[in-house]
Amino acid sequence: MTEFMNFIFNVFRNVIRIFPFSFSNLPLKNTLNIFIRCNTGNTLAVDLDPKCDIKDVKNIIAPKIGASPEELKIIFAGKELEDSIVIEDCDLGQQSILHAVRLKSRPDFHSLKTQHETIIDEVLTDDEELPALINNKKDKTKAQFYVYCNTCCDLKTGKLRVRCSNCKSGAITLDSDPKSWEDVLKPRKISGHCEQDDCVDGVFRWAEFYFKCAEHASLGENDFSVPLKQIKNNCRTIPCLACTEIRDTVFVFSCEDAHVTCVECFRTFVVLRLRERQFVLHDDLGYTLSCPAGCPDSYIDESHHFRLLSKEQYEMYQRFATEEAVLKFGGVLCPQPGCGEGIIIDSDCNKIICENGCGYVFCRNCLRGYHIGECDSFDNPVSSDVQHITDATRASQARWDEASNIAIRVSTKPCPKCRTATERSGGCMHMICTRCSFHWCWICQTEWSRECMGTHWFG
């Protein structure tokens, strides 16, 4: 029996020698698949335990690039990560990119290491109170940015990232942290030193910030998301202006009082104003809205916030914005049903051809089929070459297609500004055009005035 056991042991030992393996090489559970990009141009894919620290990372990758761990520094989001930092504290997602840089001799002014707990993790704000609140260690919570992700097609939490504005590499260390949204969104605000070999070593470079979605695996350094800076964590427990509920995520208007609505009420507010065509075409900010409380200087300055609408609603927003821009610049919209093509024309041109749309030829003044003479003459009966005599009035009333046109002319009046047919179903004589928001008088068919209000407001 002893000889048999010795035989089995010898066979197992020989198998181990032929097929060596280490239990340490077995796949880890709950691993992060991370790309290590070296400044020499090589990229390594490694699986890291979230519990390991940066020193362990250096020990893993140093032999693969022919360097010692002491020669390496790891850069992520504009910071050199210290050896004691744990991977799970670095806000890394699956397939995130770390930059490994082999140390080189450098001027004394750049030999100092900036001490950071981790990557940029403070809310960007112009408020002076909030950073002090967040810097309180007892109350400190992880800050979040919000973005619109084109991959997820929805509002998501975001991650702030940085790269060299010259070579677009993420291997850049910042000279200072951004303190406000202006530092992040405007170019040439924060400087740094790029460690990429393609950039001259030690030369002053500008940092370029961008955002990524935090809720799906990274698609590389070109995976960008649009920041929604007016959507924030409700760290001050402010109730919604509309529903009075206290929600975790809120929209903060840029008015002096910084009114707050929850995201759901913001969507409802935008949809209602959109359907009523109550948006404003601002010269600098585009087709936008102001605070629902009517505060001055409170326009939404980033149109990507309207991506929170559904796909159909956002397409309506884009269409209305285009139409308003055409009308503002002296153009017209093709009146044919189902067309609505925007046409920019000369100020003295009355005959309009919808060349890029349906091909309809119409009159600029009355928006009906093009005709010679005054627009009023269009309603006069046109002589015919037929030999029998008919009553012109009855003939016009007997036309199947013309019946609806007569009803429109009788029950509606055109807006004096944009000529949109408007129906009055009751109430006062003060009309507000749903297309161009022009205030006009139903009786005078001119701009609404105090005289109209005093003489025939109610008829």
Side-chain angles (χ1 to χ4, degrees):
M1 184 69 178
T2 302
E3 293 179 356
F4 177 75
M5 293 299 295
N6 288 336
F7 172 78
I8 295 297
F9 177 76
N10 290 332
V11 171
F12 180 74
R13 183 174 57 184
N14 291 332
V15 169
I16 293 297
R17 289 175 179 173
I18 297 173
F19 304 104
F21 68 95
S22 171
F23 289 101
S24 63
N25 292 330
L26 293 176
L28 296 171
K29 295 182 180 179
N30 191 28
T31 61
L32 282 174
N33 180 245
I34 301 297
F35 293 106
I36 308 293
R37 184 165 295 172
C38 306
N39 60 325
T40 57
N42 298 328
T43 301
L44 306 174
V46 295
D47 290 325
L48 299 178
D49 185 346
K51 298 296 183 181
C52 72
D53 55 28
I54 296 300
K55 185 176 181 181
D56 296 328
V57 176
K58 292 180 180 180
N59 291 330
I60 292 173
I61 65 175
K64 299 182 179 182
I65 62 175
S68 63
E70 293 76 17
E71 292 180 293
L72 296 179
K73 68 176 180 179
I74 305 299
I75 296 176
F76 180 62
K79 305 298 179 187
E80 178 183 348
L81 303 183
E82 302 298 324
D83 289 350
S84 60
I85 293 178
V86 180
I87 290 296
E88 66 181 358
D89 294 334
C90 293
D91 195 26
L92 290 174
Q94 292 289 351
Q95 300 180 0
S96 290
I97 298 176
L98 295 177
H99 291 267
V101 178
R102 193 167 184 170
L103 293 176
K104 300 176 183 179
S105 59
R106 56 180 64 253
D108 292 339
F109 73 88
H110 194 56
S111 62
L112 299 175
K113 291 184 178 179
T114 305
Q115 299 298 323
H116 296 277
E117 292 182 359
T118 177
I119 62 168
I120 301 167
D121 62 351
E122 293 190 359
V123 172
L124 298 176
T125 178
D126 295 324
D127 194 327
E128 295 179 355
E129 272 181 43
L130 194 53
L133 175 66
I134 295 175
N135 286 328
N136 186 338
K137 300 295 182 182
K138 185 180 295 185
D139 297 329
K140 185 171 181 178
T141 56
K142 191 173 183 180
Q144 288 182 330
F145 304 104
Y146 290 93
V147 299
Y148 178 80
C149 177
N150 284 315
T151 301
C152 303
C153 296
D154 202 358
L155 172 69
K156 297 293 181 181
T157 55
K159 301 181 290 187
L160 178 62
R161 296 294 180 258
V162 62
R163 63 184 183 178
C164 173
S165 62
N166 181 55
C167 67
K168 307 303 181 183
S169 168
I172 184 173
T173 54
L174 301 179
D175 293 332
S176 63
D177 287 342
K179 301 300 183 184
S180 66
W181 279 102
E182 183 176 352
D183 287 345
V184 170
L185 299 180
K186 292 187 177 181
R188 298 178 176 270
K189 288 292 184 178
I190 302 294
S191 61
H193 286 77
C194 183
E195 308 288 349
Q196 189 70 16
D197 285 350
D198 296 342
C199 278
V200 179
D201 188 32
V203 172
F204 170 87
R205 297 294 184 197
W206 289 111
E208 182 179 272
F209 294 91
Y210 62 98
F211 287 82
K212 300 169 72 73
C213 175
E215 301 187 33
H216 69 259
S218 174
L219 303 178
E221 289 186 333
N222 292 323
D223 178 23
F224 304 140
S225 293
V226 181
L228 305 179
K229 67 176 184 178
Q230 291 185 245
I231 296 180
K232 302 178 181 180
N233 282 342
N234 194 3
C235 57
R236 298 184 179 184
T237 62
I238 304 297
C240 170
L241 179 67
C243 67
T244 70
E245 295 288 336
I246 298 177
R247 304 296 178 90
D248 294 335
T249 307
V250 293
F251 184 96
V252 182
F253 285 88
S254 56
C255 52
E256 183 177 354
D257 294 329
H259 287 120
V260 168
T261 64
C262 63
V263 175
E264 292 76 13
C265 289
F266 173 74
R267 286 193 178 104
T268 303
F269 166 67
V270 172
V271 171
L272 289 175
R273 289 297 179 91
L274 181 65
R275 289 174 177 170
E276 296 173 355
R277 299 197 73 143
Q278 297 300 309
F279 274 60
V280 174
L281 187 61
H282 194 278
D283 291 338
D284 299 322
L285 307 178
Y287 201 49
T288 187
L289 281 176
S290 59
C291 173
C295 300
D297 301 324
S298 59
Y299 289 115
I300 300 171
D301 60 4
E302 175 51 71
S303 62
H304 282 96
H305 287 91
F306 301 124
R307 294 301 299 266
L308 299 182
L309 304 176
S310 68
K311 180 181 178 181
E312 294 76 15
Q313 291 165 348
Y314 187 68
E315 289 176 352
M316 181 188 296
Y317 164 80
Q318 290 180 308
R319 186 174 70 254
F320 286 177
T322 303
E323 292 176 357
E324 295 299 332
V326 170
L327 295 174
K328 182 175 182 178
F329 289 104
V332 295
L333 305 175
C334 177
Q336 280 290 83
C339 183
E341 180 76 16
I343 307 169
I344 301 296
I345 55 176
D346 296 333
S347 58
D348 58 348
C349 178
N350 289 329
K351 182 179 181 181
I352 304 174
I353 303 175
C354 184
E355 294 180 349
N356 298 323
C358 63
Y360 182 56
V361 182
F362 59 97
C363 171
R364 176 178 185 163
N365 297 323
C366 66
L367 300 181
R368 308 204 43 189
Y370 181 72
H371 56 86
I372 299 175
E374 297 295 332
C375 294
D376 293 340
S377 65
F378 186 79
D379 291 330
N380 295 334
V382 180
S383 61
S384 173
D385 292 332
V386 293
Q387 298 300 317
H388 59 274
I389 299 175
T390 59
D391 184 271
T393 301
R394 293 183 180 180
S396 63
Q397 295 174 349
R399 296 174 184 171
W400 181 275
D401 292 336
E402 188 63 12
S404 59
N405 293 333
I406 293 174
I408 291 174
R409 288 199 297 271
V410 170
S411 62
T412 67
K413 293 182 179 181
C415 168
K417 183 176 180 181
C418 68
R419 310 296 296 175
T420 299
T422 304
E423 180 180 8
R424 177 176 171 271
S425 57
C428 67
M429 303 299 165
H430 182 188
M431 311 299 294
I432 303 176
C433 181
T434 58
R435 167 166 289 182
C436 67
S437 301
F438 184 68
H439 293 246
W440 58 283
C441 175
W442 176 263
I443 294 179
C444 302
Q445 288 188 262
T446 57
E447 185 175 7
W448 181 257
S449 64
R450 297 185 65 87
E451 183 179 353
C452 299
M453 184 185 301
T455 57
H456 48 253
W457 193 359
F458 290 101

